[in-house]
């Protein structure tokens, strides 16, 4: 992750502040709701291992990993020590915007996910009051030192890797100032109604699609097929008149 000079030395420390706790509450609620409906056998959370965003998942094997001392699984997100097609769910909570290699991370995630596997990403929205604040202040400290990725750009990256975006959601509409965070109920309801795409954070649920094979059958020439097929012999189905003629012949033979 990017090395930033800040009172909070990591995003996890920033989540302990008032603005960070405000964002964390919405993120935890969204992850709890989303992972509950995803099934499979193996799930991985990359980054922020101190916060269990997989706690509500029904997947039996759940683990987290990051390049940090004390992590349950220490790894580099752009070189995952995981077999291809072995995971059913991967979470990327604010990992891409604080990484120097976001494209490499997405490529690795695509590799380790099985077909129809799910990827859930959370990120700070540059087209929001949080993004505006980042451009107006010195970009030091978390989360302002990160590179906020625009949603349309992220969708392009996912599309190139064969992902299909299934859901996009926004939250945290209040400005990133402590005096505004006491009136979040009014601001959140107004934001969801009047400017829904301007939340401070966004969530993207994408699914890995793998094109299936389709057997191409030859386009036969119907006229040629008719000529090549053998003609079945016609069965002699005697009509009513023929039956009467046969009966007369039998009677004549009997008299003779």
């Amino acid at each position: 992750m990017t090395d930033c000079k800040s009172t909070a030395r990591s995003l996890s420390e920033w989540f302990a502040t008032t603005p960070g706790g405000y964002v964390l509450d919405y993120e935890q609620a969204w992850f709890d709701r989303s992972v509950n409906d995803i099934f499979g056998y193996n799930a991985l959370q990359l980054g922020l291992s101190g916060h269990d965003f997989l706690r509500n998942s029904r997947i039996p094997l759940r683990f987290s990993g990051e390049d940090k001392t004390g992590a349950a699984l220490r790894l580099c997100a752009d070189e995952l020590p995981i077999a291809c097609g072995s995971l059913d769910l991967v979470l990327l909570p604010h990992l891409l915007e604080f990484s120097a290699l976001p494209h490499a991370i997405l490529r690795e995630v695509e590799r380790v996910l099985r077909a129809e596997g799910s990827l859930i990403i959370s990120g700070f929205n540059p087209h929001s009051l949080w993004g505006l604040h980042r451009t107006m202040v010195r970009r030091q400290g978390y989360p302002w030192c990160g590179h906020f990725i625009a949603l349309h750009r992220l969708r392009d990256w996912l599309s190139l890797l064969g992902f299909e975006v299934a859901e996009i959601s926004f939250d945290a509409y209040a400005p990133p100032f402590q005096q505004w965070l006491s009136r979040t109920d009014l601001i959140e309801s107004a934001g969801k109604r009047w400017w829904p795409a301007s939340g401070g954070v966004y969530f993207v649920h994408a699914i890995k699609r793998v094109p299936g094979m389709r057997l191409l059958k030859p386009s036969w020439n119907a006229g040629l097929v008719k000529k090549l097929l053998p003609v079945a012999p016609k069965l002699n189905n005697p009509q009513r008149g023929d039956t009467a003629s046969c009966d007369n012949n039998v009677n004549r033979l009997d008299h003779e």
Side-chain angles (χ1 to χ4, degrees), residues 46 76-87 90 92 95-96 99-114 119 121 154 156-163 208:
L46 282 175
C76 293
D78 57 323
E79 295 181 0
L80 296 175
I82 300 173
C84 298
S86 59
L87 299 180
V90 175
L92 299 181
L95 181 64
L96 299 179
S99 171
L101 301 169
H103 306 87
I105 293 175
L106 287 177
R107 283 195 296 268
E108 276 294 276
V109 170
E110 189 276 335
R111 180 184 66 82
V112 301
L113 269 178
R114 66 168 181 82
L119 167 64
I121 301 171
L154 179 59
D156 288 342
W157 294 351
L158 293 174
S159 178
L160 289 174
L161 291 172
F163 284 96
K208 178 182 175 181

Side-chain angles (χ1 to χ4, degrees), residues 49-239:
S49 57
H51 304 277
D52 188 6
F53 294 125
L54 285 169
R55 67 183 186 184
N56 211 32
S57 174
R58 304 183 191 184
I59 295 177
L61 180 58
R62 306 183 299 271
F63 58 101
S64 62
E66 61 181 318
D67 189 8
K68 178 182 177 182
T69 303
L73 178 62
R74 187 165 186 180
L75 48 77
C76 293
D78 57 323
E79 295 181 0
L80 296 175
I82 300 173
C84 298
S86 59
L87 299 180
D88 300 278
L89 171 63
V90 175
L91 305 186
L92 299 181
H94 297 288
L95 181 64
L96 299 179
E97 58 222 298
F98 297 100
S99 171
L101 301 169
H103 306 87
I105 293 175
L106 287 177
R107 283 195 296 268
E108 276 294 276
V109 170
E110 189 276 335
R111 180 184 66 82
V112 301
L113 269 178
R114 66 168 181 82
E116 304 301 313
S118 291
L119 167 64
I120 299 181
I121 301 171
S122 66
F124 289 101
N125 184 10
H127 304 302
S128 67
L129 293 175
W130 292 72
L132 179 63
H133 179 70
R134 175 179 174 272
T135 60
M136 296 177 64
V137 300
R138 296 179 65 188
R139 297 179 183 179
Q140 293 183 354
Y142 284 86
W144 319 115
C145 62
H147 178 66
F148 291 8
I149 302 172
L151 186 57
H152 66 85
R153 179 174 297 177
L154 179 59
R155 295 187 66 170
D156 288 342
W157 294 351
L158 293 174
S159 178
L160 289 174
L161 291 172
F163 284 96
E164 178 183 335
V165 176
E167 182 183 1
I168 296 176
S169 183
F170 298 87
D171 267 315
Y173 291 90
F177 306 112
Q178 187 167 350
Q179 60 269 26
W180 284 90
L181 298 179
S182 59
R183 293 176 288 211
T184 56
D185 292 340
L186 178 61
I187 298 174
E188 290 294 327
S189 59
K192 288 182 179 296
R193 180 176 180 181
W194 299 110
W195 49 90
S198 299
V201 293
Y202 58 70
F203 305 92
V204 178
H205 179 192
I207 299 175
K208 178 182 175 181
R209 301 297 191 193
V210 177
M213 291 192 304
R214 180 183 177 186
L215 183 62
L216 298 178
K217 298 181 180 180
S219 179
W220 294 104
N221 187 305
L224 179 61
V225 171
K226 186 177 291 186
K227 291 180 181 180
L228 294 177
L229 289 176
V231 179
K234 293 183 179 180
L235 297 177
N236 293 326
N237 294 325
Q239 301 298 324

